[in-house]
Amino acid sequence: MHFLGGLLAAPILFAMAITGILYAWNPQLEHMLHRQALSATAEGPARPLSEQISSARETRPELRLSSVTPAAPATPAGEETTAVTLVPETAEQNRFEKPKDAVTVYVDPASAEVTGSITESNRPDEWLRNLHSNFRIGKFAEPISELAASWLLVSIVTGLVLWWPRHNRTLARNFLFRKPGRPRWRSLHGLVGVAAAAGLVLLIVTGLTWTTYAGSWVDVARSQFDSDSPEVSTVLHPTTDSGEAGRSLVDESGTAGVTTAGADRVATAAREAGLNGVVVLEPPDSPGHAWKAEEDDSRWPVNPTALAVNGDTGEIVDRVEWAEYPPLAKATSLGIDFHQAQLFGLATQLLLTALAVALLVLIIAGYRVWLLRRPSGSLGAPPRLGSVVRNAPLPILFGFAPLMVLLPLLGITLLGYLAAERAVRAIRTSGK
């Protein structure tokens, strides 16, 4: 099983480890590539947020406002700009993925002048995310990375089982005093594998939570235990004048947008309500609804507070705190932020980079051990897996069966491998 996992997954995992390192450092890469757009230079107090939005919308009047991320009030000049995301009129709101042709325009808060723009599909974050998950081939290729992650989990478990009887000496001593050649490479493989096992398992599990097949079990669990993430209600109170609320969706040009006063009131209300980190403001998409203000901050302590704010009055009509999230919803949210190197900032970036490098070393050392061990002219594979499965102790089979169900691609490929092995054996037998 350990050999089969390496055979099926190692080449894919090698590429995913490299792209994962790049994605972990995406914020720094983005700032290098778009320094001019992301850096404010003017000095003085910030102009009204509505004025900044108007400047951004003048660059792409055919698009409607999707969200605004104001520069923090205390940010010194030269550090941060206001981000105004504009999307096509027909685009639907999606908190996890920006619609096609969405553009984020950056505005200097002190001068209200546009510093640049980024098409979301060309943003390093989006480009690297697709490279890591589907190698930029398309969504149909995403099961390939899910398959590799599933087999990596098996390789870690089986690797620990293979190593366990040999742990009579410390790992470092075991490595340092090995003779050069296959024993040294094998010892390095075991040393790195045991040291990184827990972190790699955490990385795998958090990555599988939003995959197509294994991730569907998370959705089932959340629905069964009523653990969906709570959402603020943006429906305004029935006594609110729906005509007045509707006017907050129309600007001077008569297109879907936001009035001058509405954005400023919402931003002020959010700050006064205690949202002091990175705050994303979303306008209502229909009359009779409030704005949404959400703190997008993954530093410790995690506190993604969300508000619904009446754009006409600045009144907070609903509020959702982190404490209201069910445990499973909290775990899923934290897991995704961890896997994307957004949780706790630099510390997680360094940790995930170390885990990815450890995985690269594991793969290289594993291939080296295999090349030194295998007989010349042969694959050097272990005996047939079918006979091993038939003779395996029942506790192992009972333990592995749920894993095959939870990770469907693992089960399908294992059964496929057994079927292919049996077919090849039958062909060879009939040929004799």
Side-chain angles (χ1 to χ4, degrees), residues 54-103:
S54 297
S55 295
R57 295 199 66 229
E58 287 174 3
T59 65
R60 299 295 299 269
E62 76 280 9
L63 303 180
R64 66 174 174 85
L65 178 67
S66 174
S67 66
V68 185
T69 306
T75 300
E79 287 195 7
E80 200 172 294
T81 50
T82 294
V84 181
T85 300
L86 307 172
V87 299
E89 292 284 352
T90 57
E92 297 182 357
Q93 290 286 89
N94 187 333
R95 62 178 298 186
F96 297 109
E97 187 176 354
K98 294 286 195 308
K100 186 180 180 181
D101 299 325
V103 176

Side-chain angles (χ1 to χ4, degrees), residues 29-30 34 41 58-59 92 97 111 137 154 156 164 167 189 194 199 243 270 287 311 329 340 345 347 356 407 410:
L29 292 172
E30 182 172 285
H34 300 284
T41 57
E58 287 174 3
T59 65
E92 297 182 357
E97 187 176 354
S111 64
I137 300 174
V154 172
I156 292 172
W164 187 258
H167 73 298
H189 187 73
V194 173
Q340 297 185 132
L407 306 177
L410 169 66

Side-chain angles (χ1 to χ4, degrees), residues 364-411:
I364 293 171
Y367 271 117
R368 187 59 180 158
V369 171
W370 168 60
L371 290 172
L372 291 172
R373 178 183 64 83
R374 71 185 183 94
S376 178
S378 69
L379 185 63
R384 290 189 301 271
L385 184 61
S387 58
V388 175
V389 172
R390 286 192 296 272
N391 296 323
L394 286 178
I396 291 181
L397 294 178
F398 283 131
F400 198 74
L403 192 62
M404 292 177 63
V405 175
L406 293 173
L407 306 177
L409 293 183
L410 169 66

Side-chain angles (χ1 to χ4, degrees), residues 31-32 69-70 77-78 91 93 102 115 129 200 212 219 229 238 265 288 296 315 322 342 345 351 381 415-416 421:
H31 198 272
M32 289 173 56
T69 306
Q93 290 286 89
T115 59
R129 185 200 305 273
L200 287 174
T212 304
D219 298 332
S229 300
R265 290 195 191 103
D296 184 16
E315 175 192 4
W322 178 245
Q342 297 173 355
L351 173 61
L415 294 175
E421 185 182 78

Side-chain angles (χ1 to χ4, degrees), residues 36-336:
Q36 181 177 351
L38 300 174
S39 300
T41 57
E43 298 183 356
R47 305 293 298 170
L49 183 60
S50 53
E51 185 178 336
Q52 300 177 50
I53 296 172
S54 297
S55 295
R57 295 199 66 229
E58 287 174 3
T59 65
R60 299 295 299 269
E62 76 280 9
L63 303 180
R64 66 174 174 85
L65 178 67
S66 174
S67 66
V68 185
T69 306
T75 300
E79 287 195 7
E80 200 172 294
T81 50
T82 294
V84 181
T85 300
L86 307 172
V87 299
E89 292 284 352
T90 57
E92 297 182 357
Q93 290 286 89
N94 187 333
R95 62 178 298 186
F96 297 109
E97 187 176 354
K98 294 286 195 308
K100 186 180 180 181
D101 299 325
V103 176
T104 298
V105 181
Y106 293 89
V107 182
D108 191 315
S111 64
E113 294 182 356
V114 173
T115 59
S117 64
I118 302 175
T119 302
E120 288 298 326
S121 59
N122 295 331
R123 186 183 289 276
D125 173 88
E126 190 67 23
W127 199 92
L128 290 171
R129 185 200 305 273
N130 286 327
L131 182 65
H132 182 66
S133 62
N134 57 47
F135 307 102
R136 297 195 61 79
I137 300 174
K139 285 189 175 295
F140 69 89
E142 289 183 358
I144 296 175
S145 57
E146 181 179 347
L147 172 66
S150 301
W151 274 103
L152 176 58
L153 188 60
V154 172
S155 294
I156 292 172
V157 174
T158 54
L160 290 172
V161 172
L162 290 171
W163 165 82
W164 187 258
R166 312 171 193 273
H167 73 298
N168 53 328
R169 289 182 288 179
T170 64
L171 284 173
R173 178 182 175 84
N174 202 26
F175 168 67
L176 292 174
F177 291 93
R178 286 284 187 178
K179 294 180 180 180
R182 179 171 170 263
R184 177 71 64 87
W185 283 104
R186 179 171 180 170
S187 184
L188 175 64
H189 187 73
L191 169 66
V192 176
V194 173
L200 287 174
V201 169
L202 179 61
L203 192 59
I204 296 165
V205 172
T206 54
L208 288 172
T209 55
W210 74 88
T211 54
T212 304
Y213 301 103
S216 62
W217 288 109
V218 177
D219 298 332
V220 171
R222 291 178 66 168
S223 61
Q224 288 293 322
F225 295 100
D226 193 21
S227 294
D228 290 329
S229 300
E231 294 282 346
V232 291
S233 173
T234 59
V235 178
L236 294 174
H237 195 276
T239 59
T240 302
D241 181 358
S242 60
E244 181 182 359
R247 285 195 296 274
S248 68
L249 297 175
V250 181
D251 64 9
E252 294 81 359
S253 64
T255 60
V258 53
T259 61
T260 300
D264 296 319
R265 290 195 191 103
V266 173
T268 300
R271 295 297 178 191
E272 291 178 349
L275 275 64
N276 298 317
V278 178
V279 178
V280 180
L281 309 178
E282 296 180 6
D285 54 7
S286 60
H289 287 74
W291 283 66
K292 183 178 179 181
E294 186 168 8
E295 190 168 11
D296 184 16
D297 190 357
S298 299
R299 297 171 300 178
W300 184 262
V302 176
N303 188 32
T305 302
L307 307 174
V309 184
N310 189 329
D312 297 308
T313 64
E315 175 192 4
I316 297 174
V317 297
D318 193 22
R319 181 175 186 134
V320 172
E321 302 279 2
W322 178 245
E324 299 177 48
Y325 280 58
L328 187 55
K330 284 184 177 180
T332 303
S333 179
L334 291 174
I336 291 175

